[in-house]
């Protein structure tokens, strides 16, 4: 299917809201994207603009692709080489009948593949451990408002990762680790049943527009290789994949026909394209498979069941587990990060935290340490479906067994009974697990368990997970996190409606809902809302209460001792007559006096 | 505005799903509503129907009202009398320009008001403390699948309430307490800006259809008295109100003109109509008002700010606090429960758990114990907006200071930055606080802070809060709670799609989402879903793994020792060759063989 050269929905409104402006931090030759939100004046004076973390840079023509922001940095390090690369294979795009038409092929920027020169490692962890602060670390430090040394130190310890394949120079460096802002991932990708390249690229841009920090391309349908090329060349965020999905397509969908060689070739194909992190289900070992037979929902991870199927068919140990060190060597040459997949994660509350899940997690811990011996960055995937009382132990065991590698969970869903609302069932679990130390949350859309998400679902999933991540950042006391809530609350108290819309995660929905009840433009500056109406408003009364105390006593924003004493019942009688008089003299102005015709 | 005699949306589908059936528990002359959900057969045999708690009985003609289920029980106790009742006052429906047209008046069942005979108390707490198990307690016990004695004991201790005004005999008894299922409340009600009686009655039926356990009528616009009459006569769930809202309308919206006499008269008006619980902001004491001046959002509770405004205008202690004992005497004669309002609850994260909030909570504790001296049932309202790390201390302080009276919270919202999604920001907080012991959750709709909820918003709010409540019940290990999740998960594993829809909180949305990707009827029984497609499915592989082990070893559903040993790596080699052969002999049947045309 041909790709249109304009994404109309995005072009119509490059920024999310008229008060939003791309306003990068420029320092030391770096340009780190941020959004500036202009705020109206308060009654007490002007407000500084508010700046938010932004996961998309300036936009590009989708047929050209983004500029290679990191190309120079990578070249300057002088430890990589370009090379001819793996030959294309007809099966790279899937089985013949599913392959793309020629006009859908990528025709934008085409860089030769790059890798570490023989014997070198080019991972951020490698540099960090040697005390080198890379440009990527500086970029991340500016983005997170912390020091480059803090970033370096966390990456060196394995407690954070900067997923940045040298073949994805378009990607703006970001960090995943529990000392940093909680990140969210959005899954996109076609399936054998439905969807096109165009839709997937559009979903990528849409997801990052609303704040996805990374995107996983989980395509299993047609044009797998070509779809991924379009996605990578247009993605300012790291791209993750599950290479076993593509490998499976190459063997006609029959897991037992998979071999280490086909898998390794697929991994190299994806390394050369620029995939930043790959889910590898190397913890699904043959001996663990029988542990799943008592389960209510068995194995629900696609990758997990592929590997379990292979292990059973051959009655051999997993080729991923057996060849893990070779995988590490490959990843170290491109700086691909492991996302060690939880192929035995629970698919329902009943199966949470069971022997199979924890046997795999312990193995993942072993593999984490092996990857670190190769300086390869690692994050660890987690569940899934977990009752709230069993959530925190997942963080604890992950931190203990996996040496504090960043934890990356799918939800977890806190109940199984609400298909159609699993963005919500899982946001509850996600906020809870992130508060306890999980570094990245994989979003769940309303279509989970039911169908493939469309653009609306992607947006709902992303916004819902921004909520969960931010709620956790606030709860963890992450520096600066609550400033956003406070800016919103101040705007709310002062009836700066347009600022409330601009500061919200989804300005257009907030404004649309306000318009439904009070569509008129004056309502956006009115000192009331539809809940109380113009005659009476609790916010307004609060302001009057504040005015009463501050005007009388001349100390705005502070409760002076004299007033504070009133708080003691014993002293209350004293000033009452005077205060009552003062209040009435001010016109007892606790209600709005505007006449709106009906009172 | 005239009320239509049919609610078309409800009549079109009396039950939520074709597999749902009104199937009450009938015992000892009681008929306790439950929904029976018919399930399809599993491959291993038929499934018992699944039964769920149901908050609506059989439906009625909205112009007639429901039958008085409890009328006989109340009369039989012989401790009440009917009487002439308070004379109607033109201001009962609000200010003259806002009053209803004559044709909207209630013309259905009209019972004379009833109250305790002089000197008697007719509260469920009164009976419970004297060892009497009422019909209401028996009904509740059947509903909650527990013993009447357990219900009586919890009510006697004040740890649970059964809100049941003797003038609302239509109400089906339900219990609010942390040893029982977590309940949810839906707010409805018009405002000065918008909406009609018809809409409000429709929202009541809609809210209970989706599972609201109680409904609060927060009307502040026109026809206040008449709207409430329509709601009460049609409500199978307890109705709560905030009587200060109506009292304020009677004095033209000017808080300083409020008097204890006007308020008391309004309370009696509502007692006679049948309101089951009333929010009373008696904890907003004059000395606490100055504690709010340093806040980011001051006082956000409407009732709280009315009382704060009154206290400031008169510089007197709150008339609610001063006359609390008289209120208790009134409530004891009708069995109205207190919902002690948190008028100083935080309106943003920044204000959470501050001095004003906790000063009020401590006072509410004092008032709780005073109400209990009158045998009056009490629940305590809680916040609001609270960061997740500060949630649990709210439960702890409430339990300590308020003697374990049931806690009833509004959310709390875990972040302020997502207007338009506050059902979600608050469901995260709500699940967390309910897991820690909160007994009832007041829903928040997507329109919170922005506008008045319409029917869709009410439904979204209710379903979202059913999720939060159920997630908490599962986490608390409430007996039987997880059975629902397990029934769903089993249906999911067995691809019983129609059962998955029927078992979900919102069957129509679940099915609609499934239809979007796979609309054909055969897809509802297909052993695959749109995520993996027909060729490959992880659930299917899991089933095959299970079959491999169980068929080979003949012990379905159990992992025998022989298999369990395979889980130990040391023993793994032993059975491998044999197992591999067996698996292949079965045709290596880990994929579907159906031909769907494209593979």
């Amino acid at each position: 299917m041909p790709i249109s050269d304009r994404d109309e929905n995005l072009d119509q409104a490059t920024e999310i809201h008229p008060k939003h402006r791309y306003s990068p931090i420029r320092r030391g030759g770096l340009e780190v994207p941020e959004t500036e939100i202009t705020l109206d004046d308060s009654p007490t004076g002007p407000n500084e603009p508010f700046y938010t973390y932004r996961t998309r840079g300036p936009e590009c023509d989708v047929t050209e692709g983004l500029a290679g922001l990191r190309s120079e940095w990578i070249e300057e390090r002088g430890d990589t080489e370009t090379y001819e690369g793996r030959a294309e294979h007809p099966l790279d795009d899937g089985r013949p009948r599913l392959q793309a038409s020629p006009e859908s092929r990528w025709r934008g920027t085409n860089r030769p593949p790059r890798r570490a020169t023989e014997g070198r490692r080019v991972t951020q962890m490698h540099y960090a451990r040697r005390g080198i602060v890379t440009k990527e670390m500086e970029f991340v430090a500016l983005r997170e408002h912390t020091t480059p040394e803090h970033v370096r130190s966390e990456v060196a310890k394995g407690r954070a990762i900067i997923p940045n394949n040298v073949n994805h120079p378009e990607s703006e460096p970001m960090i995943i680790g529990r000392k940093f802002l909680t990140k969210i991932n959005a899954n996109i990708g076609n399936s054998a049943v439905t969807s096109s390249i165009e839709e997937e690229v559009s979903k990528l841009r849409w997801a990052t527009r609303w704040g996805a920090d990374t995107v996983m391309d989980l395509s299993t349908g047609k044009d797998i290789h070509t779809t991924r090329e379009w996605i990578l060349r247009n993605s300012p965020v790291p791209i993750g994949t599950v290479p076993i999905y593509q490998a499976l397509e190459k063997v006609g969908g029959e897991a037992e026909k998979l071999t280490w060689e086909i898998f390794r070739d697929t991994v190299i194909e994806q390394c050369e394209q620029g995939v930043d992190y790959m889910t590898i289900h190397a913890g699904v070992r043959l001996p663990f498979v029988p542990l799943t037979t008592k389960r209510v929902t068995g194995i629900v991870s696609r990758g997990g069941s592929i590997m379990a199927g292979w292990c059973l068919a051959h009655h051999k140990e997993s080729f991923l587990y057996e060849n893990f060190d070779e995988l590490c060597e490959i990843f170290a040459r491109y700086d691909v990060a492991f996302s060690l997949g939880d192929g035995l994660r629970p698919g329902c509350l009943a199966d949470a935290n069971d022997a199979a899940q924890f046997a795999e997690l312990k193995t993942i811990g072993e593999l984490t340490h092996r990857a670190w011996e190769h300086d390869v960055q690692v994050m660890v995937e987690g569940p899934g479906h977990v009752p709230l009382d069993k959530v925190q132990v997942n963080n604890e065991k992950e931190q203990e067994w996996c040496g504090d590698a960043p934890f990356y969970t799918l939800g977890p869903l806190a109940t199984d009974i609400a298909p159609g609302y699993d963005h919500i069932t899982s946001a509850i679990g996600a906020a809870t697990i992130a508060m306890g130390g999980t570094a990245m949350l994989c979003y769940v859309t309303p279509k989970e368990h039911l169908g493939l998400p469309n653009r609306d679902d992607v947006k709902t999933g992303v916004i819902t997970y921004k909520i969960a991540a931010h709620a956790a950042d606030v709860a963890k006391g992450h520096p600066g996190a609550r400033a956003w809530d406070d800016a919103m609350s101040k705007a709310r108290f002062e009836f700066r409606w347009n600022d409330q819309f601009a500061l919200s995660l989804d300005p257009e929905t907030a404004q649309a809902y306000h318009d439904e009840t009070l569509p008129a433009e004056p309502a956006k500056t009115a000192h009331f809302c539809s809940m109380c109406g113009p005659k009476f408003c609790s916010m307004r009364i609060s302001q009057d209460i504040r005015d009463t105390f501050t005007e009388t006593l001349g100390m705005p924003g502070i409760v002076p001792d004299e007033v504070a004493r009133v708080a003691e019942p014993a002293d209350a009688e004293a000033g009452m007559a005077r205060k009552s008089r003062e209040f009435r003299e001010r016109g007892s102005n606790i209600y709005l006096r505007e006449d709106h015709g009906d009172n």
Side-chain angles (χ1 to χ4, degrees), chain A residues 500-542:
Chain A
Q500 291 178 60
F501 305 146
L503 285 163
S504 68
L505 286 176
D506 179 0
E508 62 190 35
T509 297
Q511 177 147 6
Y513 285 177
H514 191 255
D515 286 350
E516 262 182 47
T517 315
L518 291 171
E521 185 50 38
K524 306 307 177 211
T525 51
H527 280 196
F528 66 89
C529 59
S530 57
M531 285 69 82
C532 298
K535 182 74 183 172
F536 181 87
C537 174
S538 60
M539 287 281 194
R540 176 70 205 182
I541 287 193
S542 287

Side-chain angles (χ1 to χ4, degrees), chain A residues 52-93:
Chain A
T52 58
Y53 188 103
R54 176 187 176 110
T55 62
R56 68 213 155 94
E59 272 138 22
C60 65
D61 179 338
V62 76
T63 61
E64 301 273 326
L66 289 161
L69 165 72
R70 296 165 53 240
S71 297
E72 252 179 55
W73 314 346
I74 295 164
E75 276 173 47
E76 276 172 6
R77 287 196 282 260
D79 50 4
T80 54
E81 61 185 12
T82 57
Y83 66 107
E84 194 177 343
R86 172 185 168 281
E88 274 181 37
H89 189 285
L91 280 179
D92 292 352
D93 265 334

Side-chain angles (χ1 to χ4, degrees), chain A residues 7 16 50 122 167 173 208 238 246 325 329 340 371 378 440 448 473 492 502 506 596:
Chain A
D7 187 321
I16 286 172
F50 192 81
V122 295
N167 290 311
T208 57
Q246 185 182 10
D325 288 304
E329 286 166 18
L340 290 172
V378 179
M440 186 156 80
E448 183 77 12
D473 287 338
R492 187 169 277 156
D506 179 0
H596 284 267

Side-chain angles (χ1 to χ4, degrees), chain A residues 346-365:
Chain A
C348 62
L349 300 194
D351 296 340
N353 296 11
D354 72 352
Q357 182 192 335
F358 283 146
E360 183 189 32
L361 183 59
K362 213 160 186 173
T363 302
I364 287 175

Side-chain angles (χ1 to χ4, degrees), chain A residues 472-508:
Chain A
D473 287 338
V474 169
K476 288 198 295 184
H478 189 78
R482 220 197 59 200
W484 194 345
D485 300 85
D486 294 351
M488 172 68 82
S489 301
K490 191 162 177 260
R492 187 169 277 156
F493 187 68
E494 293 172 357
F495 293 100
R496 287 184 273 120
W497 286 102
N498 288 319
D499 288 354
Q500 291 178 60
F501 305 146
L503 285 163
S504 68
L505 286 176
D506 179 0
E508 62 190 35

Side-chain angles (χ1 to χ4, degrees), chain A residues 100-226:
Chain A
S101 57
E103 63 266 33
S104 68
R105 291 182 63 84
W106 175 251
R107 287 197 177 74
T109 308
N110 226 331
R111 303 178 190 85
R114 178 178 290 278
R115 67 181 170 199
T117 50
E118 186 66 32
R120 303 294 291 264
R121 293 169 181 172
V122 295
T123 68
Q124 294 293 318
M125 186 181 221
H126 174 82
Y127 304 130
R129 283 174 160 182
R130 275 144 199 84
I132 299 165
V133 172
T134 60
K135 288 280 188 192
E136 286 84 348
M137 295 173 203
E138 286 178 32
F139 190 101
V140 159
L142 286 169
R143 238 179 160 174
E144 299 267 350
H145 301 285
T146 184
T147 64
E149 173 52 26
H150 180 224
V151 171
R152 189 206 59 75
S153 157
E154 290 293 301
V155 172
K157 286 176 190 153
R159 200 152 63 179
I161 66 169
I162 301 176
N164 262 164
N165 186 326
V166 295
N167 290 311
H168 186 208
E170 300 91 345
S171 164
E172 294 162 347
M174 54 78 71
I175 192 161
I176 302 166
R178 67 182 159 94
K179 302 285 181 185
F180 304 94
L181 287 168
T182 303
K183 303 304 188 296
I184 68 161
N185 171 70
N187 290 334
I188 61 172
N190 64 21
S191 87
V193 175
T194 178
S195 114
S196 71
I197 294 181
E198 189 172 26
E199 277 174 65
E200 298 312 316
V201 176
S202 168
K203 277 184 204 165
L204 160 77
R205 294 171 65 118
W206 191 237
T208 57
R209 176 182 170 85
W210 296 108
D213 293 285
T214 77
V215 166
M216 290 193 78
D217 172 15
L218 304 184
S219 293
T220 59
K222 60 185 179 183
D223 303 336
I224 294 183
H225 181 98
T226 304

